[in-house]
Amino acid sequence: MSARAAIAIARREFFDRWLLVPFGFFVGVWPIVIASTLGRENPPLPRPEEPVAVVISIVYWAIFALVAASVVGFSIGGRDLAERRLGFYFARPVPWPSVFCGQALAAAALLALSIAVATLPLTLSLLGVEGRRGAVIEWGRHVVEAPLQFLVSGPVVTVAVLALVVALGAGLFGVAFRVRSRWLGVDLIGLLALGALALHVARRLEAESSFLRFTPGFVALTCGCAAFAFAAGLASALARGRGDALHAHRAFSLATWPLVAVLAVLGLWRLEVALEGTPEAARAFRSVASPDGRWEWRVTQKASWLHGRTTFLVRADGSASHHLGSDWSTTAVFANDSRRAAWTVFSIRGQESRVVVADLGDARAMPLLEFPGSSRTWGAVLAFDSGGDHLAHVDGDRVRVRALPGGEIQVERVLPLPASRVEHFRSLTADRLCLRAVHGRGARLADYHVSLAPSGVVEPGPCAPR
Amino acid sequence: MSAIPLQVEAVSIRHARPWLLQGVSFDVRPGEVVALLGRNGVGKTSLLRVALGLMPAAAGRARLFGFDAWRERARALARVGVVPDAPDAPPELDARGLCRLVSALHERWNEEATRGRLARFAVPERTPFARLSRGQKGAVMLALALGHEPDLLVLDEPTLGLDAIARDAYFGELIAELSERGASVLMASHDLPLVERLAERAVVLHDGAVFADLAIDELKARFRQGDEPLDLETAFARLALRRAS
């Protein structure tokens, strides 16, 4: 590769699109105009325009970054190939990496400079105005620190991700739609496949009650993969097409889509692994051990970049581990003899819940018994009787006791008042339960003793210290 | 490294299904001026693109000074100057800016000679390329192609759209270059009077193959009837008619 040629090409490509930079400055002027107008309309505020301008500037900056990314991506990705502008370089002894690097350098410089210039008017407007020096320093500090500060989470990283995606998408569209060879069909199929993939991922995440989290690592990896696929496509277009639009389009599609497919398969595999979760995950949100210490019910974070939890029942000695799914659930309760565990599972898609009882006697198979839980409340809590052969749970104003292991309803009692939630629930004796119900919207708490005898009643009685 | 400027070895070119050219072979020797002739669409420009490493051949290969034109294009083009059929310089750059850009793309560059050529062609230095006339654009492209003093000059329809005066200036510049440095030239052209004045040999493409690879005089002699004086244009017309019949 010739660095001299790359710099010469970068300089030419940059100056071919230099108007983007003054346009950035023009865009940067508007927040000041808007902020000044808002400032005049809000006289009670001591210095209203600075914070307003900063906020508006960030919004404008974000929009401008996306527009600039699409313009540069479309122009450098597609226009140069479609309009055969690269033939001029390839008719000379310039290696294709020099052309590639020159273009990439020009794109990076254009984007960086125009976006930086977009923040300049506000900075300049605050300079030299009495009492605003502090605001200038604040703004300067903000400009310097913001990218680092927001990299953890926030608008800058979102804008950066979107800008990259927009630039890559614009480049892809540029090559596909400006050249319009028959490989456009392949590109369209590829785009449709990507759309279907995104839909599939969204559905999988919903089914697993999970959300993507744009952590720095996730953003870096995703953007890195996308940039790699696109860069490989562009490099191939230059290396194989050499300024000829049709050959370049063919090379671009042949390089990009298989690479995208491989990366998508790897990404899907990684997602499935993360959705599955591991009981050994570093972050365990909740865990409760069985009374004999042999079992642990554990909820773990799926992955740092995936907001979602996986529930496990694991043997303390590591000999067995059971994946209990990704739905949200209440903390499990264990029977006194540690033979059974029970918990309530909620689906984020609906309000219905179900009660799950695990038979821990068979550590390998661990049969699960499921029956409908509360239909109206989320605060359902469960309790085993002292022998572990009965499970009580609340459904609205009804308290049900089920016999285990069959799960049939043995007794059902109605509370004196409908309860919106049950806060506390435990067995006092083999035939007597105690529950604390929340009536109304948390306005009233009441303790009840529930008799499990066939002719038993529900009567007020102390449950536990409040 | 070979001293032979261009060797085209059994090159085949395919556009979609049908073969455009099949098994085309010829070479351009040092100091030789070779014309590539043929009717429109016969594949002259495609063959030149293969020879310059701008597109791959479906079969066969081209060598420039011994380098594989496709695989080692950058090295192969170091001693080659190219004038494309359509002037494709960046439209916003003027002649001076173009010289600066192209000089950075070559290892060696004769700035003085390039400026001299542009002056002789009377090309305004400060006018963007897009606003130059067709003749001026052609002149700029020739000046840029000669700036690094190439040993092989490849011209694709160099005088297309030029008026008689511009054509003469162009021709004069080429003659000067050839006489001063003895560079080789491969030109594809329909401007047969220019070819006749400049070229020593003609490679005639027809029906996807090399129909004739002869010295210009030999080509004319082949189509002469009796003792009539025959120019290349007439010879080529007779050749085309004969092939068609």
Side-chain angles (χ1 to χ4, degrees):
Chain A
M1 192 189 96
S2 161
R4 186 161 155 255
I7 291 167
I9 291 168
R11 197 168 54 194
R12 188 257 146 176
E13 297 293 328
F14 180 90
F15 284 111
D16 189 29
R17 300 163 176 89
W18 68 274
L19 279 174
L20 194 64
V21 178
F23 183 69
F25 188 84
F26 174 75
V27 167
V29 169
W30 278 100
I32 301 163
V33 175
I34 295 170
S36 303
T37 311
L38 290 176
R40 273 199 295 275
E41 286 172 1
N42 296 284
L45 295 171
R47 258 187 5 215
E49 52 268 53
E50 288 89 351
V52 172
V54 168
V55 170
I56 296 172
S57 272
I58 289 174
V59 172
Y60 266 79
W61 173 83
I63 295 170
F64 177 71
L66 297 181
V67 172
S70 64
V71 167
V72 171
F74 191 84
S75 167
I76 287 189
R79 195 189 69 172
D80 282 0
L81 275 174
E83 295 180 3
R84 299 177 185 237
R85 286 165 168 247
L86 301 177
F88 183 76
Y89 300 132
F90 283 106
R92 290 170 174 81
V94 182
W96 71 262
S98 298
V99 180
F100 179 78
C101 291
Q103 286 197 307
L105 206 62
L110 267 171
L111 278 176
L113 198 63
S114 57
I115 291 171
V117 155
T119 65
L120 202 60
L122 182 72
T123 311
L124 290 177
S125 75
L126 296 175
L127 276 171
V129 180
E130 197 177 345
R132 293 187 180 177
R133 192 159 296 161
V136 175
I137 294 165
E138 179 65 21
W139 171 243
R141 191 180 63 77
H142 186 75
V143 168
V144 172
E145 286 184 359
L148 302 172
Q149 192 183 336
F150 282 108
L151 264 180
V152 180
S153 65
V156 171
V157 75
T158 310
V159 169
V161 172
L162 282 175
L164 190 69
V165 170
V166 165
L168 298 180
L172 193 80
F173 271 88
V175 173
F177 289 96
R178 292 295 299 270
V179 176
R180 285 189 204 155
S181 74
R182 56 186 159 168
W183 287 87
L184 178 62
V186 175
D187 295 335
L188 288 175
I189 292 169
L191 285 173
L192 281 175
L194 271 185
L197 182 76
L199 204 63
H200 168 76
V201 168
R203 285 185 176 161
R204 281 290 294 133
L205 289 172
E206 188 190 359
E208 295 289 335
S209 308
S210 303
F211 307 94
L212 287 177
R213 292 169 61 164
F214 292 103
T215 60
F218 178 78
V219 169
L221 191 68
T222 311
C223 293
C225 286
F228 173 65
F230 183 73
L234 192 59
S236 175
L238 293 178
R240 307 288 304 174
R242 299 186 185 177
D244 181 272
L246 298 179
H247 281 92
H249 190 185
R250 178 175 178 270
F252 177 85
S253 300
L254 279 176
T256 303
W257 294 115
L259 207 54
V260 167
V262 169
L263 290 172
V265 168
L266 285 174
L268 276 180
W269 170 77
R270 182 68 190 91
L271 180 70
E272 288 299 330
V273 169
L275 285 174
E276 187 69 16
T278 58
E280 296 82 20
R283 276 186 71 189
F285 283 109
R286 277 178 291 161
S287 65
V288 56
S290 63
D292 63 1
R294 289 194 302 147
W295 286 92
E296 190 184 350
W297 184 88
R298 195 185 292 169
V299 180
T300 59
Q301 169 81 37
K302 287 179 186 295
S304 59
W305 48 273
L306 200 57
H307 185 69
R309 300 164 181 193
T310 316
T311 310
F312 297 92
L313 254 174
V314 293
R315 292 275 288 197
D317 60 6
S319 60
S321 165
H322 295 279
H323 183 273
L324 302 175
S326 302
D327 283 335
W328 296 74
S329 62
T330 58
T331 304
V333 290
F334 285 92
N336 286 342
D337 57 2
S338 301
R339 279 191 300 133
R340 293 192 176 94
W343 60 93
T344 307
V345 175
F346 302 96
S347 162
I348 60 165
R349 279 171 291 179
Q351 289 292 308
E352 74 278 10
S353 67
R354 62 188 196 279
V355 174
V356 183
V357 182
D359 187 346
L360 306 178
D362 183 353
R364 290 278 166 216
M366 205 189 73
L368 296 176
L369 174 68
E370 292 190 15
F371 44 84
S374 163
S375 58
R376 282 172 289 178
T377 62
W378 271 58
V381 281
L382 308 165
F384 282 104
D385 66 359
S386 48
D389 293 321
H390 295 89
L391 178 74
H393 67 104
V394 174
D395 181 3
D397 59 352
R398 291 174 190 278
V399 180
R400 292 193 181 110
V401 177
R402 291 177 184 270
L404 298 173
E408 59 276 6
I409 296 174
Q410 191 180 41
V411 69
E412 186 168 336
R413 297 277 179 266
V414 178
L415 297 174
L417 285 170
S420 61
R421 191 160 59 88
V422 175
E423 198 177 76
H424 182 74
F425 195 19
R426 68 189 180 95
S427 53
L428 295 171
T429 62
D431 61 351
R432 204 165 182 79
L433 297 170
C434 176
L435 64 88
R436 178 172 296 154
V438 180
H439 297 293
R441 294 186 174 181
R444 191 183 152 204
L445 299 172
D447 289 357
Y448 301 99
H449 285 193
V450 180
S451 168
L452 299 182
S455 58
V457 293
V458 177
E459 54 192 17
C463 208
R466 289 180 190 178
Chain B
M1 189 171 63
S2 168
I4 300 176
L6 174 65
Q7 294 163 286
V8 176
E9 300 169 351
V11 163
S12 298
I13 299 172
R14 193 163 49 182
H15 279 179
R17 278 288 175 102
W19 290 94
L20 183 65
L21 294 172
Q22 265 188 305
V24 171
S25 297
F26 68 92
D27 53 23
V28 178
R29 290 179 283 273
E32 195 176 28
V33 179
V34 177
L36 192 59
L37 304 179
R39 300 195 64 189
N40 287 334
V42 78
K44 297 189 295 293
T45 298
S46 295
L47 186 58
L48 290 186
R49 290 180 63 75
V50 168
L52 294 170
L54 294 173
M55 65 181 263
R61 66 176 168 180
R63 290 170 176 274
L64 289 166
F65 298 101
F67 293 111
D68 187 299
W70 176 251
R71 293 177 196 280
E72 303 166 282
R73 183 191 57 81
R75 281 206 287 175
L77 288 183
R79 297 167 65 190
V80 180
V82 182
V83 178
D85 55 343
D88 62 351
E92 76 285 0
L93 293 183
D94 57 24
R96 201 181 274 188
L98 282 170
C99 285
R100 200 165 42 239
L101 172 64
V102 177
S103 68
L105 305 180
H106 288 281
E107 288 297 319
R108 59 178 182 177
W109 186 257
N110 191 333
E111 182 70 26
E112 197 182 327
T114 308
R115 286 275 179 89
R117 274 186 205 103
L118 289 171
R120 283 196 292 281
F121 281 129
V123 174
E125 283 197 340
R126 288 295 183 194
T127 305
F129 186 76
R131 282 200 261 149
L132 295 176
S133 69
R134 178 68 176 82
Q136 288 171 327
K137 283 179 181 173
V140 170
M141 295 309 288
L142 181 64
L144 294 176
L146 294 173
H148 62 295
E149 298 174 338
D151 296 318
L152 171 66
L153 194 59
V154 177
L155 311 169
D156 190 2
E157 298 293 355
T159 56
L160 195 69
L162 300 189
D163 61 29
I165 295 167
R167 224 177 65 173
D168 278 352
Y170 206 100
F171 175 73
E173 200 60 45
L174 271 178
I175 292 285
E177 182 69 17
L178 294 173
S179 60
E180 275 175 27
R181 296 198 309 106
S184 308
V185 177
L186 172 65
M187 64 161 88
S189 180
H190 291 294
D191 187 351
L192 296 179
L194 174 77
V195 169
E196 194 171 0
R197 286 161 73 186
L198 212 61
E200 302 154 39
R201 191 157 62 90
V203 175
V204 185
L205 298 177
H206 187 86
D207 212 10
V210 174
F211 170 66
D213 183 355
L214 300 166
I216 295 289
D217 291 339
E218 208 177 325
L219 186 71
K220 287 196 287 188
R222 182 178 283 194
F223 294 95
R224 188 175 292 141
Q225 291 169 348
D227 291 335
E228 61 166 345
L230 187 70
D231 59 17
L232 185 61
E233 206 151 5
T234 313
F236 186 72
R238 285 181 184 170
L239 182 155
L241 282 173
R242 183 183 291 183
R243 292 297 299 176
S245 63

